[in-house]
């Protein structure tokens, strides 16, 4: 089934959730109309039944012709039969529309995430975004569906019931208009009290779950120190608290449940007796059938009214989720590429012209007056203390962030005029910890390259020093790795990531501490693979290890966002400045 496309986000206004919902459902309005009509037919027995019952009682009491009994029964049976097809039609149209809107929203959210800048993604956690795509859209679906099902049922019952009463016993109408809402309100009040208690109880259960989670993750620590008793004591406390409030809640539920039930039925009985009295003394022209009908309607209409009032929290939860999805769909932080120059080829010259960058907030600039020209094929090592601004320089280079002042030029062209997606086809990045997705090793290496050949994948893996261990895996290149796949060591994962970078044959290569999470043995293998990867390309590498740094053509030493020294390894050591101090201190 084709996914709905289109620039949904242009008209999405989370601050007006009702209008936004109407906009979301706009394409489905015909289907919704059909659904409402189908619902009216399918739901009609609910208000027809009391009427027909009244008719039948009157036929018996007033000894009217028996044929009328047949007609009444037949009408009701036909309407009952209609319930089946109309119910299906309703589900198809209404629930289908709701699911389509949910899918449209999810797809819009995912597309938006791919357009939002990396700055946005570093501010907003991945799990928060995940929640929006899954949970918020689900809330919107559930809330729309329940509002439609319950709301339509209640409204149609109310309208149908009142219409029947208005036609048959108009004099009873005022009593309904006053007593039904009053009774519904009373019942609601009782239930609301219960809901707040329920919410409190849920909080205590959540606290218990935190406690248990804490206990399980602390088990190694607890056991190592013989603190089992203490740990269990903490959980036991929570447990007995949940037990106490659970029992209290059950009792309360019993109280209010019984009270509400008695109250509602007592009003119902009062209503029945009242109607019977009126009929008995013939104060109003009410037949025996009418008495039964009015009494039945009292119960159903009060129920519908209560249901309608109960929808308020469900609706507000859905609207809240519409707002929440808007936080992503309306985020202004886009990476704009439309209409910019396509990069067709890259030689690899990169030039930073007095680039300054400051992250949001009021901290000092992360990169200050960074000025550097890198000819094609040169390897630049960035070194400096943690927080010196090395990763920020790399992010500027990738185009994840834009200079606050100054320019970055690629082969002489200002990067702010280029379509960054086309530039990045010539770029490979190996981060500190590489992410493999769930798929085979071949798929992971050839990510984003649909026509890649098996021989190319093998060559890349060989150059990345990965072929040997890959071939030892049970299914070789077709072994599934990633979230639920084979477990690979950090060094193995890193070598697969290097193969992924190699196969793209990039002109510009960015390595951010690609070896710092590895042990010495895997580091040697990775280092060897990286040397091969770096040959003939423009490379920016952030590294702590001497072996990587020493081989760089030039070393750029950064302090507080500024370049403090530039030069070759031996040259800088001889100078005895910041680099020499760093070497003595931390680089091994
Ligand atoms: N996303 C961010 N938001 C705000 N400040 C940041 C962010 N990333 C880095 N910084 C700050 O910018 C400075 C440079 O960071 P970074 O480039 O990561 O340094 P390095 O990679 O050299 O350790 C640091 O002071 C850091 O706290
Ligand atoms: Mg860093």
């Amino acid at each position: 089934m084709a996914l709905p496309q289109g620039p949904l986000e242009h008209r999405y206004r989370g601050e007006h959730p009702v209008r936004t919902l109407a906009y979301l459902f706009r394409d489905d309005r015909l289907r919704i109309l059909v659904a409402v009509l189908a619902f009216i037919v399918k739901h009609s027995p609910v208000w027809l039944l009391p009427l027909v019952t009244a008719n039948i009682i009157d036929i018996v009491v007033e000894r009217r012709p028996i044929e009328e009994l047949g007609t009444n029964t037949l009408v009701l049976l036909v309407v009952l039969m209609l319930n089946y097809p109309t119910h299906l039609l309703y589900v198809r149209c209404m629930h289908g529309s709701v699911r389509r809107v949910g899918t449209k929203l999810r797809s819009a959210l995912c597309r938006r995430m791919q357009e939002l800048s990396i700055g946005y993604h570093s501010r907003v956690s991945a799990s928060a975004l995940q929640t929006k795509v899954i949970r918020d859209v689900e809330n919107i679906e559930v809330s729309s569906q329940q509002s439609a099902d319950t709301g339509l049922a209640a409204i149609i019952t109310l309208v149908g019931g009142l219409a029947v009463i208005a036609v048959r016993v108009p004099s009873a109408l005022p009593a309904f208009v006053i007593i039904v809402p009053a009774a519904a309100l009373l019942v609601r009040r009782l239930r609301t009290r219960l809901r707040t208690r329920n919410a409190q109880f849920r909080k205590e259960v959540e606290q218990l779950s935190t406690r248990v989670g804490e206990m399980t993750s602390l088990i190694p620590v607890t056991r190592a120190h013989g603190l089992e008793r203490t740990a269990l004591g903490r959980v036991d406390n929570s447990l007995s608290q949940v037990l106490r409030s659970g029992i209290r809640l059950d009792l309360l539920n019993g109280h209010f449940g019984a009270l509400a039930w008695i109250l509602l039925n007592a009003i119902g009985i009062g209503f029945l007796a009242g109607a019977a009295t009126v009929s008995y003394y013939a104060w109003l022209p009410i037949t025996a059938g009418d008495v039964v009908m009015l009494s039945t309607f009292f119960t159903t209409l009060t129920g519908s009214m209560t249901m309608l009032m109960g929808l308020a929290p469900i609706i507000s939860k859905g609207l809240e989720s519409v707002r929440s999805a808007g936080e992503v769909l309306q985020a202004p932080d886009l990476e704009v590429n439309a209409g910019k120059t396509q990069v067709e080829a890259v030689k690899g010259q990169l030039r930073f012209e007095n680039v300054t960058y400051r992250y949001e907030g009021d901290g000092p600039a992360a990169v200050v007056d960074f000025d550097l020209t890198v000819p094609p094929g040169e390897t630049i090592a960035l070194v400096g203390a943690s927080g010196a601004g090395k990763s920020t320089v790399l992010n500027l280079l990738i185009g994840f962030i834009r200079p606050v002042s100054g320019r970055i030029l690629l082969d002489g062209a200002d990067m702010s005029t280029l379509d960054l997606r086309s530039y990045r086809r010539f770029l490979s990045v190996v981060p500190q910890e590489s992410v493999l997705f769930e798929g085979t090793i071949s798929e992971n290496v050839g990510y984003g390259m649909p026509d890649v050949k098996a021989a190319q994948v093998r060559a890349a893996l060989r150059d990345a020093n990965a072929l040997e261990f890959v071939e030892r895996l049970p299914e070789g290149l077709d072994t599934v790795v990633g979230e639920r796949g084979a477990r690979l060591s950090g060094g193995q994962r890193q070598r697969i990531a290097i193969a992924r970078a190699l196969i793209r044959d990039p002109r510009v290569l960015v390595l951010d501490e690609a070896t710092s999470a590895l042990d010495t043995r895997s580091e040697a293998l990775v280092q060897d693979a990286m040397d091969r990867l770096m040959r003939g390309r423009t490379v920016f590498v952030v590294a702590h290890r001497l072996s990587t740094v020493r081989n760089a053509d030039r070393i750029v030493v950064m302090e507080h966002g500024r370049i403090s020294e530039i030069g070759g390894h031996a040259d800088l050591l001889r100078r005895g400045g910041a680099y020499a101090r760093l070497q003595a201190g931390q680089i091994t």
Side-chain angles (χ1 to χ4, degrees):
M1 193 187 280
L3 283 181
Q5 293 290 328
L8 179 65
E9 50 272 33
H10 292 321
R11 293 284 299 277
Y12 200 100
R13 291 283 169 272
E15 60 275 23
H16 303 299
V18 178
R19 215 188 299 164
T20 301
L21 267 182
Y23 167 69
L24 288 173
F25 278 102
R26 206 189 39 168
D27 293 340
D28 286 88
R29 52 184 185 267
L30 247 177
R31 272 194 212 95
I32 290 174
L33 184 68
V34 173
V36 171
L37 293 178
F39 201 100
I40 292 177
V41 177
K42 123 186 157 79
H43 203 68
S44 53
V46 175
W47 51 269
L48 271 178
L49 188 61
L51 176 64
V52 173
T53 313
N55 277 339
I56 291 175
I57 291 175
D58 287 344
I59 291 166
V60 174
V61 173
E62 296 167 10
R63 310 218 52 85
R64 297 221 293 258
I66 194 72
E67 294 79 40
E68 285 185 31
L69 177 63
T71 337
N72 274 286
T73 316
L74 198 69
V75 167
L76 201 60
L77 276 177
V78 169
V79 179
L80 269 181
M81 293 300 170
L82 278 179
N83 181 272
Y84 185 76
T86 46
H87 181 76
L88 283 186
L89 184 63
Y90 169 77
V91 167
R92 209 191 165 91
C93 290
M94 184 58 89
H95 293 197
S97 301
V98 169
R99 287 198 191 280
R100 247 189 303 278
V101 164
T103 311
K104 197 153 72 173
L105 256 180
R106 287 201 170 120
S107 138
L109 281 167
C110 289
R111 266 182 300 135
R112 187 67 167 194
M113 282 186 221
Q114 288 294 355
E115 293 162 1
L116 282 164
S117 72
I118 296 298
Y120 179 88
H121 285 288
S122 69
R123 276 197 309 281
V124 179
S125 80
S127 68
L129 292 176
Q130 224 167 357
T131 308
K132 286 195 200 294
V133 179
I134 304 301
R135 190 76 64 216
D136 277 330
V137 175
E138 188 176 295
N139 279 348
I140 295 173
E141 284 183 353
V142 168
S143 150
S144 311
Q145 199 162 310
Q146 285 189 355
S147 313
D149 293 358
T150 317
L152 279 174
I155 290 172
I156 291 171
T157 309
L158 280 170
V159 172
L162 289 178
V164 169
I165 296 167
V167 171
R168 227 185 122 116
V169 205
S171 46
L173 206 53
F176 269 86
V177 175
I178 296 166
I179 301 179
V180 164
L185 216 62
L186 216 62
V187 172
R188 266 316 310 151
R189 281 287 285 278
L190 285 174
R191 296 212 184 132
T192 317
R193 288 275 288 280
L194 273 186
R195 245 209 336 273
T196 48
R197 297 291 177 125
N198 268 314
Q200 276 170 17
F201 180 66
R202 228 183 11 250
K203 266 205 200 103
E204 274 171 26
V205 173
E206 274 162 23
Q207 204 174 5
L208 172 67
S209 121
T210 321
R211 277 278 150 82
V212 173
E214 193 182 276
M215 188 197 83
T216 44
S217 57
L218 271 179
I219 279 178
V221 180
T222 309
R223 301 287 280 278
H225 299 88
L227 295 175
E228 291 90 343
R229 294 270 280 286
T230 320
L232 287 176
R234 276 169 72 82
V235 171
D236 281 347
N237 262 343
S238 252
L239 272 176
S240 44
Q241 202 155 346
V242 169
L243 174 67
R244 261 198 309 276
S245 15
I247 291 176
R248 211 175 320 127
L249 181 70
D250 289 343
L251 271 178
L252 212 70
N253 267 324
H255 271 304
F256 281 111
L259 268 180
W261 188 81
I262 293 173
L263 198 70
L264 192 62
N265 282 291
I267 301 178
I269 293 170
F271 200 90
L272 174 63
T277 313
V278 170
S279 170
Y280 188 85
Y281 288 111
W283 289 333
L284 292 170
I286 297 179
T287 65
D290 291 342
V291 172
V292 176
M293 184 188 81
L294 291 179
S295 165
T296 314
F297 269 140
F298 174 77
T299 316
T300 31
L301 296 197
T302 308
S304 296
M305 201 75 188
T306 325
M307 262 162 39
L308 215 51
M309 293 178 184
L311 269 183
I314 295 172
I315 292 177
S316 71
K317 191 171 158 196
L319 295 183
E320 185 45 47
S321 285
V322 172
R323 267 182 227 115
S324 162
E327 285 169 17
V328 173
L329 287 174
Q330 295 166 257
D333 238 349
L334 296 185
E335 181 183 296
V336 185
N337 283 307
K340 296 199 174 169
T341 313
Q342 294 284 318
V343 177
E344 305 291 348
V346 168
K347 284 208 280 298
Q349 192 214 49
L350 278 152
R351 193 174 151 72
F352 286 80
E353 282 183 354
N354 295 317
V355 171
T356 294
Y357 185 80
R358 178 178 286 110
Y359 287 100
E360 256 167 63
D362 43 20
V367 167
V368 189
D369 269 340
F370 195 88
D371 201 88
L372 182 72
T373 304
V374 183
E378 191 178 49
T379 295
I380 296 287
L382 293 168
V383 302
S386 167
K390 306 179 295 289
S391 298
T392 308
V393 170
L394 298 187
N395 285 334
L396 284 162
L397 178 72
I398 302 169
F400 281 166
I401 50 180
R402 289 165 188 279
V404 177
S405 66
R407 303 193 298 168
I408 303 173
L409 307 167
L410 171 73
D411 295 337
D414 188 340
M415 278 211 340
S416 65
T417 66
L418 302 178
D419 182 328
L420 292 172
R421 290 169 307 188
S422 66
Y423 152 57
R424 291 182 193 137
R425 287 203 308 264
F426 300 94
L427 178 89
S428 279
V429 181
V430 181
Q432 182 167 2
E433 288 198 32
S434 297
V435 183
L436 302 182
F437 57 83
E438 199 185 318
T440 65
I441 291 189
S442 289
E443 285 165 347
N444 264 288
V445 172
Y447 180 47
M449 305 182 67
D451 309 318
V452 75
K453 307 247 182 337
Q456 280 171 279
V457 174
R458 296 181 80 80
L461 283 170
R462 183 175 314 112
D463 286 347
N465 278 345
L467 194 59
E468 192 196 336
F469 85 79
V470 167
E471 284 187 330
R472 257 188 284 121
L473 293 173
E475 282 156 89
L477 269 74
D478 295 323
T479 308
V480 174
V481 294
E483 268 187 66
R484 275 183 285 139
R487 284 167 176 270
L488 300 179
S489 74
Q492 290 172 332
R493 258 206 306 271
Q494 212 58 336
R495 279 177 276 159
I496 290 183
I498 289 175
R500 186 190 271 169
L502 269 170
I503 203 168
R504 296 160 58 87
D505 190 19
R507 303 319 315 144
V508 181
L509 183 63
V510 172
L511 304 161
D512 193 356
E513 310 198 30
T515 56
S516 64
L518 306 180
D519 56 80
T520 339
R521 198 190 114 60
S522 22
E523 195 221 332
L525 284 169
V526 173
Q527 188 60 55
D528 182 53
M530 283 211 314
D531 290 343
R532 213 165 291 142
L533 179 61
M534 283 151 73
R535 227 167 280 154
R537 317 172 201 280
T538 309
V539 182
F540 281 77
V541 52
V542 171
H544 290 313
R545 315 256 182 168
L546 181 60
S547 45
T548 315
V549 174
R550 191 164 41 194
N551 294 338
D553 298 309
R554 278 192 293 168
I555 297 163
V556 173
V557 185
M558 293 188 68
E559 278 181 327
H560 307 297
R562 293 176 190 276
I563 297 180
S564 65
E565 284 180 327
I566 301 186
H569 172 69
D571 177 29
L572 287 182
L573 268 190
R574 218 174 306 120
R575 227 184 276 175
Y579 183 68
R581 282 198 298 279
L582 271 174
Q583 287 284 305
Q586 47 161 291
I587 297 184
T588 48

